Amino acid sequence: MVQAARELLAVRSPLDAELMVSDMVGAWWGRRVRGGDVEQVLGEGLVDYAAKAGTPASLTLLICLAYLGTARQGAKAEGAALAMMESGVARPGWADRVGAVKPTGCYVSRDAYGDQDTVICTFAYRWNEDTTPRHHQDRHALVVVVDHNMSGMARDAWVSSQVDKLLEQARAEAAGNPMLLFEQIECQQARALLESAMKATKEPKTPPPVSDSYSAYHAFARARLKALPPGRKRPAPLHIEAPYSRERRAMLAAEFLASDAAEHLSDPSSASRCADHIIDYGCEQDFSRPLRVSPTKCETFLLDWLPRKVMLSVAEQEAMPHVLAAWVRFAAQRTGLPEPGLRATLDAVWEAIGKFPESYRDPTSFGLDRPLLERLLPDGDLSALARRAFAFPFLQGTHNGAELDRLNPADEADRRMLLEIDHAGALDEEHLAWHEEIATRLWEGDPPQLWEAAQRLLDLGHDRHDVLHVLMEIAERIGGDPDELAAALDDIADIPDEI
């Protein structure tokens, strides 16, 4: 990378240099390395290496990293660059203007469904009024696509120097399409939305579904957001509702069931429970927007979220697609969704109906009877089944006169008894307490990295009990720091020989 930085000496503007370096550091964005954070191992390592090189190219790289890097990288790069400049290392004339930008306007192009926001932030470089200013090539726009069906994450980003053409095209598209809205927004609003979106993109442990170019612009976008004025933090889309209480959710369900849209539903009991799931999904997965409907949101709910998260009865499985279609009509009327959007959403629901029976496998088809499932899933969280069954494998039959079918793993006293049976009573109290700690964490899914680490070790062929002992050793060694525990669990690739 230090060798490649020689090309920075040939560029003619700070924008070109910033984009080149953003592309360079994007090579490791979202990747993992053993033994540390990738930004520390590679990012700070690059700063240290460039500082030792002491060349004009490495100085230019450090100047760009001081602006584009993380806080730690930026501080180290700035210090190293100042030391090199004091020693007389030459730098390009544009180097003093790296990052010296001011926002000139922020805009958003939004679809009527609320699925996606395309946020456009425009900037211009500051210049000395006593000198001849550069022409309009210094104006540029950062464009970030925010996907609200993917937890509000940023999925794409790019930069354009054709600012006027870009804005004109966005306005023209919105003027000719009733399903699009284009408007100017406050810069504080844009910053809060994009900071939340970029954080949501970074949080998944698996590689997020972003465009191929996102990594190349990530550092540039992160730095440009700091040029926008800070404002009140908004964790979601530009138009969100206040969080729904349980009472408000129940009232909304009652209004739906009493509406004309739901009058054809033949099983009121199942319809009521299905409506509760639809509302919960909108509140918990879509930023408190249960009334927002779209083809993508409905397909994701029906074919992805429900099969992973909710234990439905047979009657509820049969009713759910029809309840969802009724909900779409009810919600569209309440939100004023244009008629083309309503038709497209209903078409998507009816198309998904044929796939739903295949996507949603009844949990009883896993070989577990419903009373056992109800003990493992008292909250109906289907995604917890595997980790809870791993934590408590003995839940049926008898042991030393105890009827396991009567023991409830959600109950603290019964949980201790089940763990004692699991270990045939051959453990001291402290060791058993740590087994109970791990079992409780697995039951609650806290932290998620605990079950992820267990699955990796199980996939390598390790015995269940050995896996539990590894998890116990890490939890005991780390203590109560949740971030350190999550990081240590992320680093587990195999069971150490001494375990």
Side-chain angles (χ1 to χ4, degrees):
M1 287 190 170
V2 172
Q3 290 178 354
R6 296 171 185 169
E7 297 181 17
L8 293 170
L9 300 174
V11 303
R12 307 183 67 175
S13 74
L15 177 61
D16 291 338
E18 291 168 19
L19 291 174
M20 284 179 61
V21 175
S22 180
D23 190 14
M24 289 173 65
V25 301
W28 65 69
W29 177 82
R31 299 182 182 273
R32 294 173 56 188
V33 294
R34 293 290 299 277
D37 178 73
V38 67
E39 294 290 356
Q40 179 179 356
V41 174
L42 293 180
E44 295 178 33
L46 175 60
V47 171
D48 293 338
Y49 192 85
K52 292 177 183 178
T55 64
S58 64
L59 171 58
T60 306
L61 176 60
L62 288 171
I63 291 172
C64 292
L65 287 173
Y67 171 66
L68 293 168
T70 64
R72 285 172 55 96
Q73 293 166 10
K76 294 184 69 172
E78 183 177 11
L82 289 172
M84 290 174 66
M85 286 187 286
E86 289 176 0
S87 68
V89 179
R91 65 187 189 276
W94 50 257
D96 291 337
R97 301 176 64 219
V98 168
V101 297
K102 59 181 179 181
T104 57
C106 294
Y107 310 82
V108 63
S109 178
R110 183 185 307 112
D111 65 73
Y113 296 120
D115 282 340
Q116 181 173 285
D117 290 338
T118 299
V119 183
I120 303 172
C121 300
T122 62
F123 301 89
Y125 281 89
R126 302 177 187 273
W127 50 66
N128 189 328
E129 297 294 344
D130 297 331
T131 63
T132 302
R134 289 184 176 268
H135 204 258
H136 287 301
Q137 70 264 26
D138 274 346
R139 291 184 64 207
H140 54 281
L142 169 67
V143 185
V144 182
V145 178
V146 181
D147 190 335
H148 298 301
N149 288 316
M150 298 293 295
S151 304
M153 66 170 52
R155 286 211 308 150
D156 199 2
W158 67 90
V159 172
S160 173
S161 59
Q162 304 293 319
V163 177
D164 292 333
K165 183 178 180 181
L166 176 68
L167 295 177
E168 181 181 350
Q169 181 179 356
R171 290 191 184 97
E173 289 178 352
N177 187 343
M179 296 298 294
L180 284 178
L181 172 68
F182 180 78
E183 62 182 351
Q184 186 167 6
I185 59 175
E186 295 180 354
C187 292
Q188 296 95 325
Q189 207 173 9
R191 175 171 176 168
L193 172 61
L194 293 183
E195 283 182 338
S196 174
M198 293 184 72
K199 180 182 178 182
T201 304
K202 184 179 178 181
E203 285 179 345
K205 294 304 176 184
T206 56
V210 297
S211 69
D212 293 339
S213 63
Y214 180 82
S215 61
Y217 292 100
H218 176 265
F220 182 90
R222 179 181 60 196
R224 277 297 188 270
L225 293 190
K226 296 175 183 176
L228 298 175
R232 183 167 63 90
K233 296 297 183 183
R234 309 191 86 174
L238 299 173
H239 300 290
I240 60 173
E241 297 187 45
Y244 276 64
S245 65
R246 278 291 156 195
E247 292 75 13
R248 190 180 176 196
R249 296 186 194 192
M251 185 178 299
L252 182 58
E255 291 174 3
F256 162 66
L257 294 170
S259 69
D260 293 342
E263 64 179 357
H264 68 284
L265 300 176
S266 58
D267 184 346
S269 178
S270 295
S272 176
R273 289 190 293 271
C274 290
D276 288 341
H277 294 313
I278 294 170
I279 294 170
D280 288 345
Y281 177 74
C283 291
E284 296 162 14
Q285 303 295 318
D286 192 25
F287 308 105
S288 296
R289 298 189 297 175
L291 289 169
R292 186 183 79 82
V293 293
S294 76
T296 302
K297 181 180 177 180
C298 290
E299 289 175 0
T300 302
F301 168 75
L302 198 61
L303 303 181
D304 180 65
W305 188 77
L306 273 178
R308 289 187 297 105
K309 291 292 292 181
V310 180
M311 185 170 66
L312 299 174
S313 69
V314 174
E316 291 163 3
Q317 293 173 46
E318 294 176 352
M320 179 58 79
H322 304 283
V323 177
L324 180 58
W327 179 267
V328 167
R329 295 188 183 92
F330 170 76
Q333 185 176 18
R334 294 281 293 266
T335 61
L337 181 68
E339 184 64 25
L342 171 59
R343 291 197 303 268
T345 304
L346 287 174
D347 287 345
V349 171
W350 296 125
E351 185 175 344
I353 285 179
K355 304 174 185 176
F356 180 64
E358 181 180 349
S359 298
Y360 190 91
R361 290 184 59 197
D362 191 316
T364 57
S365 68
F366 303 154
L368 305 176
D369 60 36
R370 186 157 288 274
L372 176 58
L373 284 168
E374 290 172 351
R375 280 195 292 154
L376 285 169
L377 306 176
D379 52 2
D381 184 0
L382 194 54
S383 65
L385 179 60
R387 55 181 161 82
R388 291 177 181 176
F390 172 77
F392 299 99
F394 301 107
L395 292 172
Q396 293 178 304
T398 59
H399 181 81
N400 290 337
E403 296 185 24
L404 302 186
D405 298 77
R406 295 181 176 274
L407 298 179
N408 180 9
D411 179 81
E412 185 174 342
D414 287 358
R415 180 176 293 175
R416 171 58 73 98
M417 188 178 300
L418 287 166
L419 291 172
E420 290 175 351
I421 292 171
D422 188 8
H423 294 84
L427 292 175
D428 59 53
E429 282 298 313
E430 183 180 1
H431 193 79
L432 189 60
W434 274 109
H435 269 285
E436 187 172 9
E437 167 78 10
I438 295 300
T440 300
R441 286 183 172 276
L442 286 167
W443 181 272
E444 296 172 353
D446 179 31
Q449 292 85 355
L450 191 71
W451 177 231
E452 292 169 3
Q455 290 177 94
R456 290 198 300 275
L457 297 177
L458 291 170
D459 289 342
L460 292 173
H462 292 295
D463 176 79
R464 169 182 172 272
H465 222 69
D466 290 340
V467 173
L468 286 171
H469 282 183
V470 171
L471 302 180
M472 289 165 52
E473 187 275 331
I474 292 174
E476 187 174 6
R477 170 166 52 86
I478 297 298
D481 189 310
D483 292 333
E484 286 191 18
L485 177 59
L489 291 167
D490 269 340
D491 282 341
I492 296 178
D494 205 344
I495 293 183
D497 294 336
E498 62 269 19
I499 297 297

